[in-house]
Amino acid sequence: MPTRNAYVTDLKGLQGECSANYLRLVRLMSEVEPGETREVELISNGRRVGELCLKLQERAPYTSIIRVSQRGILDEYLETPRMRVHLYHDVRMAEVTDFQRQRHFHGRYRYPNAQMHQPDEKLQLNRFLGEWLEHGLAHGHSLDLPELR
């Protein structure tokens, strides 16, 4: 049985994803004040399939915290996906720090592990956020954001 090479953290890929997510969130959250929520209707094949909800929980000079969640047609059957994202304005990066009540993700995990995290869990969560936001930007509709109409 061949031995498996240890996972090596893709730091460049993680930083690139976090930088792209920062730009996506800044675009979606323009002119939102702390405590306010931006809701983006998600449309697929001409039908409303849910809402991407972005709530600015906190804003400070160098950081902001945004809660990202989704509501949809399967809410009564599935747990609503939600995460907390920290935006670091000085380096223009956004990082997932909380997903489904799990916090503080490491850059690399041994596998298997008790939490069932993938070796690159942190990178996967940030990629998921990027895909989620990109879908909202490409297929979303918001009355207060003309570029999402």
Side-chain angles (χ1 to χ4, degrees), residues 119-135:
D120 62 343
E121 187 82 11
K122 187 173 193 169
L123 177 59
Q124 287 189 33
L125 287 172
N126 284 286
R127 279 191 180 147
F128 173 62
L129 173 64
E131 291 171 2
W132 209 3
L133 296 173
E134 195 58 41
H135 182 79

Side-chain angles (χ1 to χ4, degrees), residues 2 8 23 27 53 58 66 84 113 124 130 146:
V8 177
L23 296 174
R27 183 172 170 201
C53 304
E58 191 177 310
I66 297 176
R84 185 180 332 176
N113 56 68
Q124 287 189 33

Side-chain angles (χ1 to χ4, degrees), residues 78-98:
L78 300 172
E79 183 177 1
T80 302
R82 64 184 171 279
M83 60 179 59
R84 185 180 332 176
V85 181
H86 277 85
L87 277 72
Y88 304 101
H89 303 298
D90 53 345
V91 292
R92 296 181 182 216
M93 295 177 76
E95 177 184 27
V96 175
T97 57
D98 183 308

Side-chain angles (χ1 to χ4, degrees), residues 2-21:
T3 59
R4 188 174 183 196
N5 292 336
Y7 170 75
V8 177
T9 304
D10 181 7
L11 190 57
K12 189 183 238 184
L14 178 61
Q15 288 177 333
E17 195 66 49
C18 291
S19 295
N21 286 343

Side-chain angles (χ1 to χ4, degrees), residues 36-44 47-55 67-83 100 128 132 135 141:
E36 293 180 350
T37 301
R38 165 115 333 128
E39 294 179 349
V40 178
E41 280 189 319
L42 300 175
I43 311 292
S44 179
R47 294 182 44 205
R48 182 186 172 280
V49 294
E51 293 176 4
L52 180 61
C53 304
L54 305 154
K55 181 175 183 177
R67 188 183 73 216
V68 182
S69 61
Q70 184 172 330
R71 292 191 296 250
I73 56 178
L74 298 175
D75 284 353
E76 61 185 273
Y77 307 107
L78 300 172
E79 183 177 1
T80 302
R82 64 184 171 279
M83 60 179 59
Q100 305 298 85
F128 173 62
W132 209 3
H135 182 79
H141 173 79

